[in-house]
Amino acid sequence: MKTEMERQHIVVLSGAGVSAESGINTFRDSDGLWENHRVEDVATPGAWHKDPELVLRFYNERRQQIRGVEPNAAHKALASLEDHFKVTVITQNIDDLHERGGSSEVLHLHGEIFKARSTLDERLVYDLGRNDIYPGDLCDKGSQLRPHIVWFGEDVPCYPIAHEITQTADLIIVVGTSLQVQPASFLASAAPYHVARIVVDPKAEADVPAFYLREKAGAVMPSLVEYLCEKGISDLSGLEKL
Ligand code: APR
């Protein structure tokens, strides 16, 4: 039988900052360049149209990089929240570090680097396993495979589900995201008004009413999780002492 506390639902909105301490560069901390590339050259439908080989090579390199890093203390702490709460992680990250850190319910708003999909039929999605994608790699209907990533300018197919999930939240934790990219940015305020929000980001600006922990996720998330598991989510006043 579950206790009242176990049934409470924590929704985590995560972004690049949660993976920073694993060694993956965030986007907006590197002068607007993503691993030395302009976003328009590698992460838009126009880039794919103009130079698909460059786009495939870019994501093959990112995949290689992600295979070589490990989940950090923040990913692991978030996973251990599941010992006491129902937890859904809605991430803008395309890496698999939440899953490898132990989280069981992860929704990837912007796609997943370890999956490929058909350029003809977006329902055809494939696990890549240890493979990369090369020109000439085809889906079952014979069209070129592309990364299963939501590029700038494309719709975010998971957004309606993510919005629905935030409606059932009892607490929202925003970690490592500048919340500058729509529609992900809307999710922080999509939950009912009475639902408390905790923001973990060393550079967070106080633009929504929330408890702000201006620390690196790997440093503060373990004590935040310990606090929530011990005290529950109704009295967050002690967070100032973390
Ligand atoms: N711990 C917590 N937060 C951190 C850390 C850290 N160790 N390091 C950096 N941050 C914060 C930064 O201060 C910044 O506010 O993480 C945030 C990262 O913001 P962005 O780089 O804008 O990343 P994100 O919000 O995930 O970007 C959203 O934009 O790059 C595109 O599609 C891509 O999914 C991505 C989207």
Side-chain angles (χ1 to χ4, degrees):
M1 187 123 102
K2 288 185 173 178
T3 66
E4 183 59 29
M5 191 160 122
E6 278 173 319
R7 272 187 263 122
Q8 288 176 308
H9 186 196
I10 299 184
V11 174
V12 179
L13 305 177
S14 82
V18 80
S19 295
E21 287 155 88
S22 292
I24 302 177
N25 287 337
T26 59
F27 167 56
R28 258 155 279 273
D29 286 345
S30 37
D31 297 330
L33 290 180
W34 192 5
E35 301 291 347
N36 297 321
H37 291 273
R38 292 186 326 143
V39 162
E40 305 83 45
D41 295 337
V42 291
T44 60
W48 176 249
H49 186 68
K50 187 171 157 211
D51 193 346
E53 286 189 28
L54 170 69
V55 173
L56 289 179
R57 199 164 56 242
F58 174 77
Y59 282 101
N60 288 348
E61 286 168 7
R62 302 285 69 72
R63 207 173 289 114
Q64 189 74 22
Q65 180 190 28
I66 292 166
R67 283 192 190 109
V69 303
E70 299 296 330
N72 64 51
H75 298 106
K76 291 178 192 166
L78 284 169
S80 68
L81 259 186
E82 292 184 20
D83 295 344
H84 294 272
F85 300 97
K86 173 176 166 59
V87 181
T88 311
V89 179
I90 301 175
T91 187
Q92 294 163 81
N93 297 345
I94 57 174
D95 65 54
D96 62 347
L97 294 177
H98 280 300
E99 286 91 341
R100 281 200 268 146
S103 286
S104 60
E105 276 193 51
V106 185
L107 184 71
H108 288 269
L109 272 183
H110 294 166
E112 294 173 74
I113 187 100
F114 292 107
K115 291 184 177 169
R117 79 162 179 266
S118 164
T119 44
L120 185 69
D121 181 347
E122 63 185 24
R123 292 167 304 174
L124 295 179
V125 176
Y126 303 90
D127 274 324
L128 282 166
R130 302 291 304 171
N131 298 317
D132 285 317
I133 314 176
Y134 294 97
D137 288 348
L138 305 180
C139 75
D140 291 332
K141 293 187 176 174
S143 78
Q144 174 65 43
L145 289 176
R146 58 165 274 182
H148 183 48
I149 303 288
V150 176
W151 286 325
F152 286 93
E154 294 189 312
D155 284 343
V156 179
C158 289
Y159 183 77
I161 304 168
H163 188 271
E164 208 176 301
I165 290 168
T166 56
Q167 300 308 299
T168 66
D170 296 302
L171 173 70
I172 301 265
I173 300 177
V174 178
V175 51
T177 170
S178 60
L179 288 178
Q180 287 190 21
V181 173
Q182 296 172 354
S185 53
F186 302 139
L187 291 173
S189 45
Y193 186 70
H194 65 272
V195 173
R197 289 154 183 83
I198 300 171
V199 176
V200 179
D201 188 322
K203 293 189 187 160
E205 285 172 27
D207 37 17
V208 287
F211 292 87
Y212 284 92
L213 299 172
R214 291 191 177 83
E215 310 250 5
K216 289 187 172 180
V220 78
M221 197 54 85
S223 15
L224 170 60
V225 167
E226 196 179 303
Y227 180 96
L228 295 174
C229 291
E230 259 178 35
K231 309 244 191 236
I233 64 173
S234 48
D235 179 12
L236 300 178
S237 57
L239 290 182
E240 280 165 21
K241 297 198 194 85
L242 287 187

